[in-house]
Amino acid sequence: DAKTTQPPSMDCAEGRAANLPCNHSTISGNEYVYWYRQIHSQGPQYIIHGLKNNETNEMASLIITEDRKSSTLILPHATLRDTAVYYCIVRVGTSGTYKYIFGTGTRLKVLA
Amino acid sequence: EPEVTQTPSHQVTQMGQEVILRCVPISNHLYFYWYRQILGQKVEFLVSFYNNEISEKSEIFDDQFSVERPDGSNFTLKIRSTKLEDSAMYFCASSMVRGRLNTEAFFGQGTRLTVV
């Protein structure tokens, strides 16, 4: 079962920041948080991941709380093309047995 | 940018037939995965493969399923006797190890399997 919970849907105005929350209260100390998104039925697209420090790349920022029980994905300037289902995933397992367990995700709709 | 390639993009098969779904992972990756997504449902883990053997499999991955890396570049998923409920999008993914860390998994665009 997925170790994360996310709101089922969110709306965001185009050009504004989209803040997508995720709870992962049972995360273990060495488990990473990953974010992926899926546009229509395409393959999940990697966005960002982190362990305990905040992370930023060209797509997004990831803010992880100090206790690591929750995180927020930030899309700084959402565009219509960011409309997708966003998955917060805790990667489980150890080297050689990793797996990504998807939950139901947040359906983000960016509005013009 | 390197990508995971899956073929065919769409496969229609009759119930009871065998199908093989093919994937070419990113060339220096060592971990391989198959996932499936039934229409309108979430992405489900099927199996992971590392060091030429299955490292983890879900309860969905029963005796009807098998995986193979026949030639060092392809990674295949075989369904021996398809059932109607096997109709789904099947995604292949791969990841590598960088130092002591396993990096993010990259997913292919999927094969839509329709069993009639």
Side-chain angles (χ1 to χ4, degrees):
Chain A
D1 286 341
K3 297 180 77 168
T4 60
T5 54
Q6 300 175 252
S9 63
M10 291 181 65
D11 290 342
C12 177
E14 189 178 19
R16 302 297 294 268
N19 296 279
L20 291 91
C22 178
N23 286 320
H24 31 79
S25 57
T26 61
I27 195 170
S28 298
N30 60 347
E31 290 176 337
Y32 281 73
V33 178
Y34 283 75
W35 283 82
Y36 282 81
R37 71 181 183 185
Q38 188 177 29
I39 298 172
H40 298 300
S41 293
Q42 296 176 21
Q45 178 190 19
Y46 166 77
I47 300 172
I48 199 166
H49 73 282
L51 182 63
K52 50 187 173 183
N53 297 323
N54 297 338
E55 302 287 346
T56 295
N57 63 19
E58 65 278 4
M59 287 183 73
S61 295
L62 173 60
I63 308 298
I64 303 175
T65 58
E66 197 169 333
D67 63 7
R68 302 212 323 123
K69 294 188 176 189
S70 65
S71 61
T72 301
L73 178 75
I74 302 172
L75 308 178
H77 305 286
T79 70
L80 297 178
R81 287 180 296 180
D82 292 322
T83 292
V85 178
Y86 286 77
Y87 297 100
C88 170
I89 297 166
V90 172
R91 188 188 68 182
V92 299
T94 57
S95 181
T97 65
Y98 290 124
K99 58 186 180 182
Y100 302 77
I101 302 300
F102 287 74
T104 51
T106 295
R107 186 171 297 276
L108 175 70
K109 191 172 181 181
V110 180
L111 306 171
Chain B
E1 186 174 313
E3 59 181 16
V4 176
T5 306
Q6 291 186 243
T7 54
S9 57
H10 191 185
Q11 171 121 25
V12 181
T13 189
Q14 289 207 320
M15 192 168 53
Q17 294 295 304
E18 175 183 286
V19 294
I20 297 176
L21 309 183
R22 302 180 192 280
C23 169
V24 179
I26 295 172
S27 64
N28 58 347
H29 285 191
L30 298 176
Y31 296 81
F32 313 109
Y33 308 85
W34 282 102
Y35 286 77
R36 80 171 186 189
Q37 185 174 35
I38 295 170
L39 187 63
Q41 298 186 23
K42 63 181 183 180
V43 178
E44 299 175 289
F45 170 78
L46 291 179
V47 66
S48 58
F49 191 86
Y50 171 67
N51 203 24
N52 288 319
E53 62 183 17
I54 290 173
S55 51
E56 190 94 14
K57 60 183 180 180
S58 72
E59 58 189 26
I60 302 169
F61 194 88
D62 60 23
D63 292 343
Q64 297 286 1
F65 291 89
S66 62
V67 290
E68 213 177 28
R69 190 157 156 78
D71 56 12
S73 62
N74 291 285
F75 181 51
T76 61
L77 174 69
K78 182 192 292 186
I79 309 175
R80 284 188 187 76
S81 177
T82 50
K83 304 188 275 286
L84 293 177
E85 53 265 38
D86 293 326
S87 294
M89 281 289 280
Y90 288 81
F91 295 108
C92 173
S94 70
S95 64
M96 66 179 288
V97 176
R98 187 175 295 130
R100 295 174 61 188
L101 300 177
N102 187 316
T103 67
E104 64 273 20
F106 292 88
F107 285 76
Q109 289 305 299
T111 292
R112 180 171 297 285
L113 176 66
T114 303
V115 182
V116 298

